Amino acid sequence: MKLKKADILKALEKISAPGEGQNIVESGGVTNVQVFGDEVEVDVTIKNPSLQAKKKTEVEILKIIHSEVYEKAKIKVNLKVDAPAKPKVNQIKGNPIPGIQNIIAVASGKGGVGKSTVTANLAVTLAKMGFKVGLLDTDIYGPSMPIMFDVATEKPLSVNVNGKAKMKPVENYGVKLLSIGFFTEPNQAVIWRGPMAAKALNQMIFDAHWGELDFLLLDLPPGTGDIHLSIMQSMPVTGAVVVSTPQEIALADARKGVAMFQQEAINVPVLGIVENMAYFTPAELPNNKYHIFGENGAKNLAEDLKVPFLGEIPLVQSIREAGDVGRPASLQTATPTEEAFEEITKNVVQELVRRNTDLPPTEAIKITTMAGCAAVKKK
């Protein structure tokens, strides 16, 4: 028996996809019908992605053609799902921390790219600009901030706040600072499993008297692991800054760092990427630039990932020396180093203002399934 396309379409008008009001012809769900003698091929698109909806639609198409057109028709249904994309907004659960306006996580995919140095100088530059700044060193296994701020021998004091004992952060250069390094001996290794490290971090976050802060910077450890999840489950991170050097081996890990924050279960806005050790200029040849680790690697990565490029920091001996003696290089005046950190800090603040204008306040994330801890494949 030779079937007619018009008869097929008329029969299909009697069914609708689950959850959709119009019939599948009227809604445009039937995209193509081909007839070859007693053979029928139907292309149909529905919006409901569930397996049950797909199966129900396919069965109903088979039934209606067999009953209304020809009971022995040979039917092939090609079914596609066109589900609307979920908007990427901060739909995260939790409560803000009283007194802290913005929390910025500074991260890197790998160690050795100068993330802690960038964090320390960002904090000091923000303080120089007149902001109230705190810095939490979240690297449990390799804390470096006490040395960088020349407070390695200091200990946080206990203060009474509304009848509760709280830790008072150590302060220097206008920055309030807490680190696990204050509670361990210089030669003592911290050998803790993840839950112990997370508990220590929670104490430094919630048992501390930070007071009123415009910015709390988080110096995250390298990688994308348990500590990072613990931090973002504990506190509402406003945005993230990713630090990388220009070479490919560092950029590969920086890309993963950005992907971690953009993962659907985490969804923390990335304020931008900083390129550290961008070039070397010898003191005796101030007009020369030697791109030891490659040129514009982080800048190109930022363009590729469609996130802001916040600026570059040269490979300068004085930056390393300043960190080692506990006086961040951004405290120097009228130097290219100070200018570089000021430019980057201004860009961070600008991106933060834009983020706060365009997106709702971030809240602490709630990860309830193992999907939040798994590798994510980009489609």
Side-chain angles (χ1 to χ4, degrees):
M1 178 179 177
K2 186 176 179 181
L3 305 180
K4 295 181 180 179
K5 182 177 178 180
D7 294 336
I8 303 294
L9 288 171
K10 186 176 180 181
L12 293 176
E13 286 177 352
K14 296 184 179 181
I15 64 174
S16 61
E20 299 177 32
Q22 296 174 306
N23 67 67
I24 60 174
V25 176
E26 188 181 30
S27 68
V30 176
T31 56
N32 191 29
V33 173
Q34 296 185 69
V35 178
F36 309 95
D38 63 350
E39 296 180 9
V40 180
E41 189 166 339
V42 180
D43 295 338
V44 62
T45 301
I46 64 173
K47 293 186 173 69
N48 192 328
S50 71
L51 183 63
Q52 182 181 4
K54 291 188 284 186
K55 192 66 180 175
K56 185 174 186 292
T57 303
E58 184 177 355
V59 169
E60 286 190 354
I61 290 173
L62 296 174
K63 279 185 176 181
I64 201 72
I65 294 175
H66 282 148
S67 63
E68 299 286 333
V69 184
Y70 180 47
E71 64 179 356
K72 295 182 179 180
K74 299 171 185 176
I75 307 165
K76 181 182 179 183
V77 179
N78 301 316
L79 195 147
K80 293 182 180 179
V81 175
D82 183 22
K86 295 180 181 179
K88 281 198 169 185
V89 297
N90 289 43
Q91 300 170 338
I92 328 176
K93 310 302 178 191
N95 296 310
I97 299 175
I100 300 178
Q101 299 302 314
N102 299 283
I103 301 174
I104 302 176
V106 184
S108 65
K110 69 189 274 55
V113 297
K115 169 187 52 59
S116 294
T117 299
V118 170
T119 308
N121 283 282
L122 275 175
V124 168
T125 305
L126 286 167
K128 285 170 63 179
M129 290 177 175
F131 293 108
K132 297 175 182 177
V133 185
L135 199 165
L136 177 60
D137 185 356
T138 72
D139 194 341
I140 296 294
Y141 307 108
S144 54
M145 287 303 168
I147 295 174
M148 289 189 169
F149 278 80
D150 194 24
V151 289
T153 60
E154 300 286 333
K155 300 292 181 186
L157 299 176
S158 178
V159 293
N160 190 293
V161 180
N162 299 325
K164 294 182 179 179
K166 297 276 188 179
M167 284 183 286
K168 182 181 179 182
V170 174
E171 187 168 347
N172 201 13
Y173 310 128
V175 178
K176 295 179 179 179
L177 178 67
L178 274 183
S179 168
I180 198 67
F182 292 134
F183 306 99
T184 60
E185 296 300 323
N187 297 326
Q188 179 185 352
V190 178
I191 309 172
W192 289 344
R193 293 189 184 274
M196 280 289 291
K199 184 177 180 181
L201 284 172
N202 277 334
Q203 285 185 305
M204 288 195 293
I205 295 167
F206 297 108
D207 292 345
H209 180 52
W210 290 102
E212 297 292 325
L213 294 179
D214 296 306
F215 299 97
L216 176 63
L217 302 188
L218 308 177
D219 182 34
L220 296 182
T224 56
D226 189 55
I227 295 295
H228 304 77
L229 286 175
S230 296
I231 282 290
M232 287 179 285
Q233 284 179 289
S234 299
M235 57 203 311
V237 178
T238 314
V241 171
V242 176
V243 179
S244 180
T245 45
Q247 77 269 35
E248 189 58 40
I249 195 71
L251 295 171
D253 290 329
R255 185 184 294 270
K256 294 173 186 174
V258 172
M260 173 185 68
F261 291 111
Q262 292 179 338
Q263 186 175 329
E264 188 175 357
I266 294 175
N267 197 21
V268 170
V270 177
L271 303 176
I273 297 176
V274 173
E275 182 170 276
N276 194 23
M277 308 181 205
Y279 58 86
F280 172 65
T281 298
E284 63 274 15
L285 297 170
N287 295 322
N288 289 22
K289 287 184 179 180
Y290 299 95
H291 296 89
I292 297 172
F293 298 113
E295 187 173 358
N296 293 329
K299 185 176 183 179
N300 293 335
L301 177 64
E303 292 176 0
D304 183 38
L305 298 178
K306 295 180 174 56
V307 299
F309 179 65
L310 299 172
E312 59 184 22
I313 301 164
L315 178 61
V316 179
Q317 183 175 338
S318 63
I319 296 178
R320 191 273 304 166
E321 291 173 339
D324 285 349
V325 300
R327 185 174 171 80
S330 54
L331 290 168
Q332 301 166 7
T333 56
T335 65
T337 298
E338 182 196 35
E339 291 175 7
F341 281 116
E342 282 186 350
E343 180 67 22
I344 287 170
T345 305
K346 288 176 183 176
N347 289 337
V348 170
V349 173
Q350 180 178 306
E351 292 301 327
L352 193 70
V353 170
R354 183 177 291 120
R355 173 257 176 276
N356 287 340
T357 302
D358 296 342
L359 292 174
T362 309
E363 298 177 355
I365 69 170
K366 179 179 284 187
I367 297 175
T368 56
T369 69
M370 286 303 292
C373 308
V376 174
K377 293 182 180 179
K378 294 283 184 181
K379 292 185 179 178

